[in-house]
């Protein structure tokens, strides 16, 4: 039996105002090819399906069109999808009755009926395993949680999360002796986080839990939330990662999905996903050097706008910031790129060895000139000094 584990699609996300729809469509097409190529029996989507709790009609249409396409490619495919911290839990579950009839199981929130979280996985020979689908947890999902409680070896939240998973696993064990796979959407201690699109998530003040909250009887844990593909607990607990970079800190990640092979045991391997759009970070440079750097990229002017590379630029502050940005914007507009980030790398100005002069030893104009130099790494021009004098005249 073969299972694909993926997560953190973030449908509807934009980067610096640019939509990512073309990248999502390309990823979904590639994922469909993987389902066919590897004869996949089940698809696990471990949360953050959407980028926000109020997804647009276009984002929802893209999701359901994609799921329908996968079911057409592989009749009998089981799809299990849980809600992440970005997702609208109730809205995700709304079409549950129709989706279940098609083999799509959606768990948006915790339910009192624990059996709803236990989903059978089938291949041509019948049921081969079960998935324990646990969505993003909130304090209300943890029975008996007393925030701020002390006295035990772990915090109250970790203790409650551990108890919940133990209870769910025990319930699953009474219903089947088949291998058990768990799904979750949280941060595990020891995992590498990235800055940008990952929103810090906390359950009652705790921002991470140890991976051993998942009992040893669980053969594999398919996690979402962290965008870097990585494994914990000797590979038993795994983040499949996001399908492509969602922020500047993720440019170097080897994005992809995880293929799980289920025989008498469970093994898995990472499958990289090709990038449809390049993400390019230029070295910090004066604005005058930008044309040479951009020309060296040999960008294709016929590239459709929604497939143009994303560019991350840091400029040397050799003139006032407003002037730098205006020059850079005018120049960049002539190249077939999309600016994901344009910053000014302000170099720290060394502090003087001697104490600053007292007010009796300096003047407001001298202080202005010093502050301007430290802020912009360049001397004030006559126009700046004139503006300062006009402002002082009105005081």
């Amino acid at each position: 039996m073969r299972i694909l584990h993926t997560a953190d699609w973030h449908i509807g996300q934009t980067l610096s105002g640019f939509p990512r729809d073309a990248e999502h469509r390309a990823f979904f097409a590639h994922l469909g090819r993987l389902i066919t190529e590897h004869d996949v029996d089940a698809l696990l989507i471990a949360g953050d399906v959407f980028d926000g709790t109020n997804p647009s009609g276009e984002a929802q249409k893209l999701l359901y069109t994609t799921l329908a396409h996968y079911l057409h490619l592989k009749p009998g495919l089981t799809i299990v999808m849980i809600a992440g911290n970005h997702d609208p839990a109730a809205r995700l579950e709304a079409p549950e009755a129709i989706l279940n009839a098609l083999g799509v199981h959606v768990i948006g929130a915790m339910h009192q009926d624990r059996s709803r979280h236990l989903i059978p996985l089938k291949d041509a020979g019948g049921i081969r395993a079960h998935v324990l689908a646990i969505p993003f947890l909130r304090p209300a999902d943890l029975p008996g949680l007393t925030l701020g409680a002390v006295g035990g070896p772990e915090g109250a939240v970790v203790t409650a999360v551990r108890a919940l998973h133990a209870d769910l696993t025990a319930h699953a064990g009474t219903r089947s002796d088949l291998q058990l796979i768990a799904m979750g959407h949280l941060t595990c201690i020891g995992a590498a986080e990235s800055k940008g699109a990952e929103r810090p998530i906390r359950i009652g003040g705790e921002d991470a839990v140890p991976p051993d909250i998942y009992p040893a009887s669980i053969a594999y844990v398919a996690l979402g939330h962290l965008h870097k593909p990585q494994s914990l607990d000797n590979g038993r607990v795994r983040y499949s990662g996001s399908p492509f970079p969602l922020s500047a800190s993720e440019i170097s990640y080897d994005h992809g999905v995880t293929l799980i092979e289920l025989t008498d045991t469970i093994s898995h391997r990472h499958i990289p996903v090709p990038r449809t759009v390049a993400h390019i970070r230029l070295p910090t440079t004066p604005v005058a050097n930008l044309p040479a750097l951009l020309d060296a990229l040999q960008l294709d002017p016929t590239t459709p706008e929604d497939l143009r590379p994303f560019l991350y630029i840091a400029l040397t502050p050799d003139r006032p910031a407003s002037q730098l940005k205006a020059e850079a914007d005018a120049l960049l507009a002539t190249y077939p790129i999309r600016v994901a980030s344009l910053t000014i790398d302000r170099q720290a100005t060394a502090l003087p060895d001697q104490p600053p002069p007292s007010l009796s030893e300096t003047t407001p104009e001298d202080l202005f000139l010093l502050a301007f130099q430290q802020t912009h790494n360049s001397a004030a021009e006559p126009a700046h000094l004139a503006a300062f004098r006009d402002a002082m005249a009105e005081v």
Side-chain angles (χ1 to χ4, degrees), residues 204-229:
E206 294 284 350
D207 57 3
V209 296
D212 66 3
I213 62 162
Y214 295 99
S217 57
I218 297 176
Y220 178 88
V221 182
L223 291 182
H225 179 57
L226 300 186
H227 298 170
K228 181 177 182 178

Side-chain angles (χ1 to χ4, degrees), residues 52-74:
T53 56
N54 187 29
S56 67
E58 291 80 4
Q60 295 178 71
K61 181 178 180 179
L62 179 56
L63 170 64
Y64 295 119
T65 300
T66 298
L67 298 182
H69 176 59
Y70 294 161
L71 294 170
H72 175 74
L73 285 176
K74 181 66 188 293

